[in-house]
Amino acid sequence: GLGDVYKRQDKKRLTNKKDSLWVEEESLYQRCGSCHHLHDVKEFTANQWPQIMKTMQNNAGFTKNEAKNVSVFLQYKSIQEK
């Protein structure tokens, strides 16, 4: 159940500070700018980011989990920034 999911969470990742939620994902996203200009989060929709990240995963050297986390970060930011 849902309680089991919470028990498995890495407690080091839990925070009560909103600003620190996406630190790792933001840092990983910066890696995208090493080959091309860093796209603004609003340049693509929340629905477009997952496919873009899937395509770029190997180019950026992301693990599957890192690519997923950055994708969720970009989806969140693309909605928040509008």
Side-chain angles (χ1 to χ4, degrees):
L2 189 55
D4 293 333
V5 172
Y6 289 115
K7 289 177 188 173
R8 290 187 300 239
Q9 293 291 328
D10 180 0
K11 293 185 183 197
K12 293 178 186 174
R13 299 248 324 149
L14 298 178
T15 181
N16 62 358
K17 297 179 182 176
K18 184 179 174 185
D19 293 339
S20 65
L21 287 175
W22 299 108
V23 172
E24 181 179 348
E25 291 77 7
E26 174 74 37
S27 177
L28 288 169
Y29 178 57
Q30 296 300 315
R31 192 186 305 172
C32 298
S34 63
C35 294
H36 58 78
H37 80 279
L38 201 58
H39 292 280
D40 187 276
V41 296
K42 296 179 285 187
E43 192 169 337
F44 301 104
T45 68
N47 290 332
Q48 291 172 314
W49 278 116
Q51 185 59 43
I52 292 166
M53 287 305 301
K54 185 176 178 183
T55 301
M56 299 305 295
Q57 176 181 340
N58 290 335
N59 294 349
F62 290 142
T63 66
K64 197 173 194 175
N65 195 49
E66 287 173 334
K68 179 182 174 229
N69 290 346
V70 172
S71 180
V72 171
F73 162 74
L74 292 169
Q75 287 178 297
Y76 173 80
K77 294 298 279 185
S78 71
I79 293 168
Q80 294 300 310
E81 301 282 330
K82 289 186 177 191

